[in-house]
Amino acid sequence: MDELEQGILRLHWAAEHMPVMQALRKRFIDEKPLKGLKVGMALHTEAKTGILAIALSEAGAEIRLASCNPLSTDNSVARALKEEYGLNVYAKKGETPDEYCTNLNSVLNMAPDYVIDDGADLIAMLHTNRKDVLKNIKGANEETTTGVLRVTAMEEEGKLMFPVMAVNNAKMKYLFDNRYGTGQSTFEGWMVATNLIIAGKNLVVGGYGWCGKGVAMRAKGMGAIVTVTEVDPIKAIEAVMDGFQVKKMSEAVKTADIVFTVTGCNDVLSEEDFKNMKNGCIMGNVGHFDNEINIEDLKRMASSSRRVREHITEYTMPDGRRLNIISDGRLMNLAAGQGHPAEIMDMSFAVQALSIEYLVKHRDEMENKVYTVPNEIDRMIAETKLAVMGIETDSLTDKQKKYLGGWEAGTQ
Ligand code: ADE
Protein backbone atom coordinates (compact mmCIF):
# COMPACT_ATOMS: atom_id res chain seq x y z
CA MET A 1 0.00 0.00 0.00
CA ASP A 2 1.22 3.49 -0.84
CA GLU A 3 2.35 5.54 2.23
CA LEU A 4 -0.22 8.31 1.78
CA GLU A 5 -3.10 5.87 1.40
CA GLN A 6 -1.91 4.01 4.50
CA GLY A 7 -1.84 7.25 6.53
CA ILE A 8 -5.35 8.21 5.40
CA LEU A 9 -6.68 4.75 6.28
CA ARG A 10 -4.99 4.82 9.70
CA LEU A 11 -6.63 8.17 10.42
CA HIS A 12 -10.03 6.83 9.31
CA TRP A 13 -9.61 3.73 11.47
CA ALA A 14 -8.63 5.79 14.52
CA ALA A 15 -11.54 8.21 13.96
CA GLU A 16 -14.02 5.34 13.76
CA HIS A 17 -12.86 4.13 17.17
CA MET A 18 -12.88 7.57 18.79
CA PRO A 19 -16.60 8.29 19.19
CA VAL A 20 -16.22 10.96 21.88
CA MET A 21 -13.90 12.89 19.56
CA GLN A 22 -16.35 12.40 16.69
CA ALA A 23 -19.11 14.01 18.76
CA LEU A 24 -16.80 16.88 19.71
CA ARG A 25 -15.78 17.36 16.07
CA LYS A 26 -19.44 17.78 15.06
CA ARG A 27 -19.93 20.48 17.68
CA PHE A 28 -16.60 22.17 16.88
CA ILE A 29 -17.51 22.38 13.18
CA ASP A 30 -20.77 24.17 14.11
CA GLU A 31 -19.48 26.40 16.91
CA LYS A 32 -15.86 27.10 15.85
CA PRO A 33 -14.68 27.72 19.44
CA LEU A 34 -11.05 28.26 18.35
CA LYS A 35 -11.79 30.56 15.42
CA GLY A 36 -8.81 32.74 14.49
CA LEU A 37 -6.49 31.22 17.10
CA LYS A 38 -3.08 29.62 16.53
CA VAL A 39 -2.40 26.35 18.36
CA GLY A 40 1.11 24.87 18.50
CA MET A 41 1.27 21.17 19.33
CA ALA A 42 4.09 18.81 20.35
CA LEU A 43 2.60 15.35 20.72
CA HIS A 44 3.37 11.86 19.44
CA THR A 45 2.54 12.34 15.75
CA GLU A 46 0.49 9.24 15.05
CA ALA A 47 -3.09 8.50 14.04
CA LYS A 48 -4.94 9.32 17.26
CA THR A 49 -3.04 12.59 17.64
CA GLY A 50 -3.96 13.31 14.04
CA ILE A 51 -7.65 13.16 14.99
CA LEU A 52 -7.05 15.72 17.75
CA ALA A 53 -5.18 18.01 15.34
CA ILE A 54 -7.97 17.69 12.75
CA ALA A 55 -10.60 18.42 15.43
CA LEU A 56 -8.80 21.59 16.54
CA SER A 57 -8.41 22.75 12.98
CA GLU A 58 -12.14 22.09 12.38
CA ALA A 59 -12.76 24.22 15.49
CA GLY A 60 -11.24 27.11 13.57
CA ALA A 61 -7.62 27.05 14.77
CA GLU A 62 -4.50 27.26 12.67
CA ILE A 63 -2.42 24.25 13.70
CA ARG A 64 1.25 23.39 13.73
CA LEU A 65 2.24 19.92 14.95
CA ALA A 66 5.65 18.45 15.83
CA SER A 67 6.50 15.21 17.61
CA CYS A 68 7.38 15.20 21.29
CA ASN A 69 9.73 12.26 20.80
CA PRO A 70 12.23 11.64 17.98
CA LEU A 71 11.04 8.03 17.47
CA SER A 72 7.26 8.27 17.87
CA THR A 73 6.14 9.63 14.50
CA ASP A 74 4.10 7.51 12.12
CA ASN A 75 5.41 8.86 8.80
CA SER A 76 2.33 7.73 6.88
CA VAL A 77 0.07 9.70 9.23
CA ALA A 78 2.33 12.77 9.16
CA ARG A 79 2.12 12.70 5.36
CA ALA A 80 -1.67 12.24 5.31
CA LEU A 81 -2.16 15.13 7.75
CA LYS A 82 -0.12 17.35 5.45
CA GLU A 83 -1.35 16.24 2.05
CA GLU A 84 -4.94 15.19 2.74
CA TYR A 85 -5.87 17.57 5.57
CA GLY A 86 -3.59 20.52 4.77
CA LEU A 87 -2.11 20.70 8.27
CA ASN A 88 1.41 21.96 9.03
CA VAL A 89 3.30 18.97 10.39
CA TYR A 90 6.99 18.98 11.31
CA ALA A 91 7.81 15.40 12.24
CA LYS A 92 9.45 12.22 11.01
CA LYS A 93 10.40 8.93 12.63
CA GLY A 94 14.06 8.87 13.66
CA GLU A 95 14.75 12.59 14.09
CA THR A 96 18.28 13.57 15.12
CA PRO A 97 18.48 15.80 18.24
CA ASP A 98 18.96 18.81 15.92
CA GLU A 99 15.96 17.91 13.77
CA TYR A 100 13.84 17.39 16.89
CA CYS A 101 14.76 20.87 18.11
CA THR A 102 14.25 22.47 14.69
CA ASN A 103 10.77 20.94 14.47
CA LEU A 104 9.75 22.26 17.90
CA ASN A 105 11.07 25.67 16.86
CA SER A 106 9.04 25.50 13.64
CA VAL A 107 5.92 25.10 15.78
CA LEU A 108 6.87 28.07 17.96
CA ASN A 109 7.74 30.20 14.93
CA MET A 110 4.00 30.59 14.28
CA ALA A 111 3.81 32.57 17.59
CA PRO A 112 0.98 30.39 18.93
CA ASP A 113 -1.82 31.64 21.15
CA TYR A 114 -2.07 28.25 22.86
CA VAL A 115 0.23 25.27 23.18
CA ILE A 116 -0.55 21.58 23.60
CA ASP A 117 2.48 19.81 24.98
CA ASP A 118 3.43 16.25 25.92
CA GLY A 119 6.46 16.28 28.23
CA ALA A 120 6.68 20.10 28.47
CA ASP A 121 9.56 20.65 26.01
CA LEU A 122 7.63 23.39 24.17
CA ILE A 123 6.64 25.02 27.46
CA ALA A 124 10.25 24.91 28.75
CA MET A 125 11.53 26.41 25.47
CA LEU A 126 9.02 29.26 25.75
CA HIS A 127 10.50 30.10 29.17
CA THR A 128 14.15 29.90 28.05
CA ASN A 129 15.46 30.28 24.51
CA ARG A 130 12.11 31.15 22.82
CA LYS A 131 11.02 34.06 25.03
CA ASP A 132 10.58 35.99 21.78
CA VAL A 133 7.17 34.32 21.30
CA LEU A 134 6.23 34.05 24.99
CA LYS A 135 4.17 37.24 25.13
CA ASN A 136 1.64 35.85 22.66
CA ILE A 137 0.92 32.69 24.67
CA LYS A 138 -2.40 32.69 26.52
CA GLY A 139 -2.20 29.19 27.96
CA ALA A 140 -1.18 25.58 27.51
CA ASN A 141 -2.26 22.00 28.08
CA GLU A 142 0.13 19.35 29.36
CA GLU A 143 -0.53 15.71 28.49
CA THR A 144 1.78 13.62 30.64
CA THR A 145 2.93 12.97 34.23
CA THR A 146 6.49 14.08 33.48
CA GLY A 147 5.30 17.31 31.87
CA VAL A 148 2.97 18.12 34.77
CA LEU A 149 5.88 17.63 37.20
CA ARG A 150 7.97 20.05 35.13
CA VAL A 151 5.31 22.78 34.93
CA THR A 152 4.54 22.36 38.64
CA ALA A 153 8.25 22.92 39.40
CA MET A 154 8.10 26.06 37.24
CA GLU A 155 5.04 27.30 39.14
CA GLU A 156 6.70 26.60 42.51
CA GLU A 157 9.77 28.60 41.46
CA GLY A 158 7.46 31.48 40.40
CA LYS A 159 8.63 31.13 36.79
CA LEU A 160 5.48 29.95 35.02
CA MET A 161 4.31 32.70 32.68
CA PHE A 162 0.87 31.40 31.60
CA PRO A 163 -1.86 29.07 32.91
CA VAL A 164 -1.40 25.35 32.22
CA MET A 165 -4.16 22.75 32.28
CA ALA A 166 -2.83 19.52 33.84
CA VAL A 167 -4.60 17.23 31.37
CA ASN A 168 -2.67 14.24 32.77
CA ASN A 169 -4.29 14.70 36.17
CA ALA A 170 -7.87 14.48 34.89
CA LYS A 171 -9.51 11.21 35.97
CA MET A 172 -10.64 10.51 32.40
CA LYS A 173 -6.96 10.65 31.41
CA TYR A 174 -4.81 8.93 34.01
CA LEU A 175 -7.26 6.25 35.13
CA PHE A 176 -7.47 4.91 31.59
CA ASP A 177 -4.57 6.19 29.47
CA ASN A 178 -1.84 5.73 32.08
CA ARG A 179 -3.17 2.44 33.44
CA TYR A 180 -4.93 0.55 30.63
CA GLY A 181 -3.25 2.39 27.74
CA THR A 182 0.32 1.87 28.97
CA GLY A 183 -0.71 -1.56 30.27
CA GLN A 184 -1.55 -2.65 26.73
CA SER A 185 0.77 -0.64 24.47
CA THR A 186 3.89 -1.68 26.43
CA PHE A 187 3.23 -5.27 25.45
CA GLU A 188 2.48 -4.36 21.84
CA GLY A 189 5.92 -2.70 21.76
CA TRP A 190 7.43 -5.77 23.43
CA MET A 191 5.87 -8.19 20.96
CA VAL A 192 6.86 -6.19 17.88
CA ALA A 193 10.40 -5.68 19.20
CA THR A 194 11.13 -9.19 20.47
CA ASN A 195 8.63 -11.77 19.15
CA LEU A 196 9.17 -13.48 22.54
CA ILE A 197 6.81 -14.78 25.21
CA ILE A 198 5.94 -13.10 28.51
CA ALA A 199 4.51 -16.17 30.28
CA GLY A 200 6.87 -17.78 32.77
CA LYS A 201 9.38 -14.92 32.67
CA ASN A 202 10.68 -12.97 35.66
CA LEU A 203 9.45 -9.49 34.83
CA VAL A 204 10.39 -6.41 36.83
CA VAL A 205 8.34 -3.21 36.71
CA GLY A 206 10.25 -0.14 37.93
CA GLY A 207 7.63 2.26 39.36
CA TYR A 208 4.09 1.66 40.64
CA GLY A 209 2.35 4.86 39.58
CA TRP A 210 -0.74 4.56 37.35
CA CYS A 211 1.37 3.46 34.36
CA GLY A 212 3.40 0.95 36.39
CA LYS A 213 0.18 -0.46 37.89
CA GLY A 214 -1.19 -1.09 34.39
CA VAL A 215 2.02 -2.75 33.18
CA ALA A 216 2.30 -4.96 36.29
CA MET A 217 -1.38 -5.97 36.08
CA ARG A 218 -1.16 -6.98 32.43
CA ALA A 219 2.18 -8.77 32.94
CA LYS A 220 0.59 -10.83 35.71
CA GLY A 221 -2.38 -11.59 33.44
CA MET A 222 -0.02 -12.89 30.77
CA GLY A 223 1.66 -15.28 33.19
CA ALA A 224 4.84 -13.42 34.13
CA ILE A 225 6.30 -13.67 37.63
CA VAL A 226 6.13 -9.98 38.47
CA THR A 227 8.34 -7.95 40.80
CA VAL A 228 7.79 -4.24 41.45
CA THR A 229 10.43 -1.73 42.57
CA GLU A 230 9.42 1.54 44.25
CA VAL A 231 10.80 4.51 46.18
CA ASP A 232 7.43 5.49 47.67
CA PRO A 233 6.54 3.37 50.74
CA ILE A 234 2.78 3.71 50.21
CA LYS A 235 2.95 2.61 46.58
CA ALA A 236 5.23 -0.25 47.63
CA ILE A 237 2.55 -1.51 50.05
CA GLU A 238 -0.09 -1.12 47.31
CA ALA A 239 2.06 -3.33 45.08
CA VAL A 240 2.42 -5.93 47.85
CA MET A 241 -1.34 -5.95 48.49
CA ASP A 242 -1.95 -6.28 44.74
CA GLY A 243 0.02 -9.51 44.93
CA PHE A 244 3.44 -8.51 43.63
CA GLN A 245 6.89 -9.08 45.06
CA VAL A 246 8.59 -5.81 45.97
CA LYS A 247 12.40 -5.62 45.92
CA LYS A 248 15.22 -3.18 45.46
CA MET A 249 16.15 -2.85 41.80
CA SER A 250 19.74 -4.00 42.40
CA GLU A 251 18.31 -7.28 43.81
CA ALA A 252 15.48 -7.70 41.33
CA VAL A 253 17.76 -7.52 38.28
CA LYS A 254 19.73 -10.60 39.45
CA THR A 255 16.91 -12.88 38.27
CA ALA A 256 15.09 -10.60 35.82
CA ASP A 257 14.44 -11.75 32.25
CA ILE A 258 12.63 -8.48 31.46
CA VAL A 259 12.78 -5.04 33.09
CA PHE A 260 10.38 -2.22 32.17
CA THR A 261 11.09 1.25 33.59
CA VAL A 262 7.92 3.28 34.20
CA THR A 263 8.90 5.92 36.75
CA GLY A 264 9.36 9.35 35.14
CA CYS A 265 12.74 9.54 36.91
CA ASN A 266 16.30 9.21 35.62
CA ASP A 267 18.82 6.41 36.34
CA VAL A 268 16.28 3.77 37.34
CA LEU A 269 18.71 1.29 35.80
CA SER A 270 22.37 2.26 36.03
CA GLU A 271 25.89 0.93 36.62
CA GLU A 272 25.20 -1.10 39.77
CA ASP A 273 22.18 -2.77 38.16
CA PHE A 274 24.05 -3.61 34.97
CA LYS A 275 26.77 -5.27 37.11
CA ASN A 276 24.14 -7.45 38.84
CA MET A 277 21.92 -8.12 35.84
CA LYS A 278 21.13 -11.63 34.61
CA ASN A 279 22.57 -12.65 31.26
CA GLY A 280 20.09 -12.14 28.42
CA CYS A 281 17.92 -9.59 30.26
CA ILE A 282 15.82 -7.39 27.96
CA MET A 283 15.18 -3.83 29.13
CA GLY A 284 12.57 -1.39 27.85
CA ASN A 285 11.38 2.02 28.94
CA VAL A 286 7.83 3.39 28.89
CA GLY A 287 8.54 6.58 30.83
CA HIS A 288 8.44 9.84 28.84
CA PHE A 289 12.20 10.51 28.56
CA ASP A 290 15.02 8.19 27.52
CA ASN A 291 16.98 8.73 30.75
CA GLU A 292 15.37 5.99 32.88
CA ILE A 293 17.91 3.46 31.60
CA ASN A 294 21.38 5.00 31.80
CA ILE A 295 22.65 3.85 28.41
CA GLU A 296 25.82 5.92 28.77
CA ASP A 297 26.79 3.72 31.76
CA LEU A 298 26.05 0.63 29.73
CA LYS A 299 28.03 1.87 26.72
CA ARG A 300 31.00 2.63 28.97
CA MET A 301 30.86 -0.77 30.68
CA ALA A 302 30.21 -2.91 27.58
CA SER A 303 33.01 -4.34 25.47
CA SER A 304 30.86 -4.25 22.32
CA SER A 305 27.34 -3.63 21.04
CA ARG A 306 25.36 -4.53 17.95
CA ARG A 307 21.85 -4.18 16.55
CA VAL A 308 20.34 -7.68 16.82
CA ARG A 309 16.81 -6.86 15.66
CA GLU A 310 15.15 -3.76 14.22
CA HIS A 311 14.33 -2.41 17.67
CA ILE A 312 16.93 -4.13 19.88
CA THR A 313 20.55 -3.33 20.70
CA GLU A 314 22.61 -5.98 22.46
CA TYR A 315 25.49 -4.95 24.75
CA THR A 316 28.16 -7.56 25.53
CA MET A 317 29.80 -7.12 28.92
CA PRO A 318 33.47 -8.00 29.61
CA ASP A 319 32.34 -11.13 31.54
CA GLY A 320 30.40 -12.35 28.50
CA ARG A 321 26.86 -11.44 29.69
CA ARG A 322 24.66 -9.98 26.96
CA LEU A 323 22.14 -7.28 27.93
CA ASN A 324 19.49 -5.99 25.54
CA ILE A 325 17.73 -2.64 25.22
CA ILE A 326 14.55 -1.99 23.24
CA SER A 327 14.35 1.20 21.12
CA ASP A 328 17.47 2.74 22.70
CA GLY A 329 15.54 3.29 25.93
CA ARG A 330 12.98 5.56 24.27
CA LEU A 331 9.24 5.07 24.88
CA MET A 332 9.02 1.53 23.47
CA ASN A 333 5.22 1.55 23.19
CA LEU A 334 5.49 4.28 20.56
CA ALA A 335 8.96 3.62 19.13
CA ALA A 336 8.31 -0.10 18.51
CA GLY A 337 4.50 -0.11 18.88
CA GLN A 338 1.72 2.21 17.77
CA GLY A 339 0.97 3.89 21.11
CA HIS A 340 -2.16 3.52 23.19
CA PRO A 341 -5.35 2.07 21.69
CA ALA A 342 -7.70 4.48 19.92
CA GLU A 343 -10.55 3.94 22.40
CA ILE A 344 -8.21 5.15 25.18
CA MET A 345 -6.82 8.16 23.32
CA ASP A 346 -10.45 9.04 22.53
CA MET A 347 -10.87 9.97 26.20
CA SER A 348 -7.42 11.56 26.68
CA PHE A 349 -7.79 13.75 23.61
CA ALA A 350 -11.36 14.69 24.52
CA VAL A 351 -9.83 16.04 27.76
CA GLN A 352 -7.28 17.91 25.62
CA ALA A 353 -9.88 19.39 23.26
CA LEU A 354 -12.24 20.44 26.07
CA SER A 355 -9.36 21.85 28.15
CA ILE A 356 -8.25 24.11 25.30
CA GLU A 357 -11.83 25.27 24.86
CA TYR A 358 -11.96 25.91 28.63
CA LEU A 359 -8.73 27.94 28.51
CA VAL A 360 -10.07 30.04 25.66
CA LYS A 361 -13.30 30.76 27.57
CA HIS A 362 -11.73 31.37 30.99
CA ARG A 363 -8.31 32.83 30.19
CA ASP A 364 -9.14 36.26 31.63
CA GLU A 365 -9.94 34.80 35.07
CA MET A 366 -6.90 32.52 35.19
CA GLU A 367 -3.49 33.09 36.79
CA ASN A 368 -0.07 31.76 35.83
CA LYS A 369 -0.67 28.46 37.60
CA VAL A 370 -1.16 24.77 36.94
CA TYR A 371 -4.91 24.04 36.86
CA THR A 372 -6.83 20.84 37.48
CA VAL A 373 -9.29 20.01 34.71
CA PRO A 374 -12.81 20.79 36.01
CA ASN A 375 -14.82 17.80 37.15
CA GLU A 376 -17.64 18.66 34.71
CA ILE A 377 -15.28 17.95 31.80
CA ASP A 378 -14.41 14.52 33.23
CA ARG A 379 -18.09 13.76 33.79
CA MET A 380 -19.16 14.92 30.34
CA ILE A 381 -16.57 12.67 28.70
CA ALA A 382 -17.51 9.70 30.91
CA GLU A 383 -21.21 10.16 30.12
CA THR A 384 -20.58 10.40 26.36
CA LYS A 385 -18.30 7.35 26.44
CA LEU A 386 -20.86 5.29 28.36
CA ALA A 387 -23.60 6.37 25.95
CA VAL A 388 -21.64 5.22 22.89
CA MET A 389 -20.76 1.99 24.69
CA GLY A 390 -24.50 1.45 25.24
CA ILE A 391 -24.04 1.20 29.01
CA GLU A 392 -26.66 2.62 31.36
CA THR A 393 -26.02 3.56 34.99
CA ASP A 394 -28.36 4.24 37.90
CA SER A 395 -29.30 7.72 39.13
CA LEU A 396 -29.86 8.83 42.68
CA THR A 397 -33.47 9.37 43.75
CA ASP A 398 -34.33 12.59 45.62
CA LYS A 399 -34.58 10.54 48.82
CA GLN A 400 -31.08 9.11 48.25
CA LYS A 401 -29.66 12.58 47.51
CA LYS A 402 -31.17 13.85 50.76
CA TYR A 403 -29.68 10.89 52.64
CA LEU A 404 -26.22 11.45 51.20
CA GLY A 405 -26.39 15.17 51.97
CA GLY A 406 -27.65 14.70 55.54
CA TRP A 407 -25.84 14.38 58.86
CA GLU A 408 -28.39 14.81 61.65
CA ALA A 409 -29.40 11.78 63.76
CA GLY A 410 -32.48 10.22 62.24
CA THR A 411 -31.63 11.18 58.66
CA GLN A 412 -29.16 8.25 58.55
N1 ADE B 1 -0.56 8.36 21.20
C1 ADE B 1 -0.58 9.70 21.16
N2 ADE B 1 -0.12 10.23 22.31
C2 ADE B 1 0.20 9.18 23.10
C3 ADE B 1 0.74 9.07 24.40
N3 ADE B 1 1.03 10.13 25.13
N4 ADE B 1 0.98 7.82 24.88
C4 ADE B 1 0.71 6.74 24.12
N5 ADE B 1 0.18 6.78 22.91
C5 ADE B 1 -0.07 7.99 22.38
Side-chain angles (χ1 to χ4, degrees):
M1 195 188 297
D2 148 77
E3 185 184 60
L4 176 60
E5 190 188 351
Q6 176 172 307
I8 296 170
L9 287 173
R10 284 188 177 182
L11 284 163
H12 286 176
W13 179 265
E16 232 178 87
H17 295 89
M18 298 175 80
V20 181
M21 285 302 292
Q22 294 297 75
L24 280 178
R25 283 175 70 184
K26 279 203 192 101
R27 179 167 73 72
F28 282 1
I29 287 169
D30 287 345
E31 296 177 8
K32 298 269 180 259
L34 307 184
K35 191 161 177 230
L37 295 172
K38 291 181 278 182
V39 179
M41 306 167 71
L43 293 159
H44 301 293
T45 304
E46 50 92 13
K48 286 85 77 182
T49 308
I51 301 307
L52 174 66
I54 292 166
L56 300 184
S57 124
E58 288 169 342
E62 184 190 335
I63 294 295
R64 287 197 186 187
L65 170 64
S67 258
C68 61
N69 182 301
L71 290 187
S72 65
T73 299
D74 177 332
N75 287 340
S76 71
V77 168
R79 187 163 162 208
L81 289 172
K82 280 192 253 185
E83 295 180 25
E84 184 74 7
Y85 292 89
L87 300 186
N88 296 307
V89 180
Y90 307 87
K92 71 164 193 205
K93 195 171 183 83
E95 291 162 358
T96 63
D98 276 353
E99 285 169 333
Y100 176 71
C101 228
T102 304
N103 288 337
L104 293 185
N105 274 311
S106 298
V107 168
L108 295 180
N109 288 345
M110 85 191 297
D113 297 291
Y114 293 91
V115 153
I116 300 187
D117 216 347
D118 184 335
D121 276 351
L122 276 185
I123 295 173
M125 285 167 76
L126 283 163
H127 288 78
T128 51
N129 55 343
R130 289 307 310 265
K131 283 189 176 152
D132 58 309
V133 284
L134 180 60
K135 65 178 182 319
N136 210 50
I137 304 278
K138 295 164 186 70
N141 286 354
E142 174 46 54
E143 166 81 6
T144 200
T145 315
T146 294
V148 170
L149 286 176
R150 284 177 93 184
V151 293
T152 304
M154 292 166 84
E155 181 190 344
E156 281 166 4
E157 285 178 30
K159 302 226 165 104
L160 190 64
M161 299 303 284
F162 45 78
V164 179
M165 301 294 287
V167 167
N168 178 73
N169 298 3
K171 288 198 185 75
M172 291 305 290
K173 201 278 183 180
Y174 71 83
L175 284 179
F176 306 103
D177 177 311
N178 298 25
R179 182 168 38 170
Y180 301 108
T182 313
Q184 177 163 322
S185 61
T186 300
F187 292 98
E188 185 208 355
W190 163 268
M191 284 161 201
V192 169
T194 67
N195 190 223
L196 295 176
I197 198 163
I198 293 287
K201 297 262 170 74
N202 287 324
L203 190 154
V204 176
V205 181
Y208 206 62
W210 287 105
C211 295
K213 283 187 174 73
V215 174
M217 171 177 65
R218 292 298 183 237
K220 186 180 185 176
M222 280 190 278
I225 303 141
V226 182
T227 301
V228 167
T229 71
E230 247 307 334
V231 291
D232 178 325
I234 300 171
K235 288 183 183 153
I237 295 175
E238 262 189 296
V240 169
M241 298 277 166
D242 285 343
F244 299 111
Q245 310 181 79
V246 174
K247 292 186 185 172
K248 285 168 84 79
M249 184 61 93
S250 54
E251 263 315 299
V253 292
K254 289 180 184 165
T255 49
D257 301 300
I258 304 165
V259 185
F260 293 140
T261 55
V262 205
T263 69
C265 194
N266 59 354
D267 289 355
V268 182
L269 287 172
S270 58
E271 185 170 349
E272 201 51 32
D273 307 305
F274 302 136
K275 275 188 200 151
N276 288 340
M277 197 168 269
K278 181 179 165 184
N279 178 36
C281 182
I282 304 175
M283 295 167 265
N285 168 50
V286 261
H288 183 78
F289 283 117
D290 60 342
N291 55 4
E292 302 213 10
I293 304 172
N294 190 329
I295 297 187
E296 288 314 309
D297 276 0
L298 194 53
K299 282 184 181 158
R300 194 173 24 78
M301 293 164 75
S303 34
S304 65
S305 70
R306 62 183 180 134
R307 205 75 166 170
V308 284
R309 280 175 68 84
E310 188 188 347
H311 298 286
I312 299 186
T313 308
E314 175 198 78
Y315 293 85
T316 302
M317 310 306 277
D319 60 8
R321 282 174 307 132
R322 290 181 295 159
L323 309 179
N324 302 286
I325 302 222
I326 300 174
S327 299
D328 301 319
R330 292 205 184 270
L331 269 175
M332 57 178 268
N333 56 338
L334 280 140
Q338 301 171 77
H340 297 347
E343 298 98 323
I344 292 282
M345 295 316 292
D346 189 25
M347 297 185 278
S348 307
F349 286 159
V351 180
Q352 284 283 10
L354 292 170
S355 294
I356 275 284
E357 189 183 32
Y358 180 88
L359 269 175
V360 172
K361 280 194 189 141
H362 297 272
R363 170 64 190 108
D364 291 343
E365 310 136 33
M366 295 172 82
E367 296 171 49
N368 298 341
K369 286 185 177 167
V370 179
Y371 282 85
T372 306
V373 174
N375 203 33
E376 304 83 76
I377 291 185
D378 267 339
R379 261 195 98 89
M380 193 195 306
I381 296 169
E383 281 164 4
T384 312
K385 193 77 176 176
L386 280 173
V388 295
M389 291 165 103
I391 296 172
E392 287 184 287
T393 59
D394 292 321
S395 313
L396 293 172
T397 61
D398 288 344
K399 188 177 164 197
Q400 285 174 314
K401 281 185 199 159
K402 197 167 165 216
Y403 174 81
L404 292 173
W407 60 273
E408 286 170 43
T411 63
Q412 297 297 302

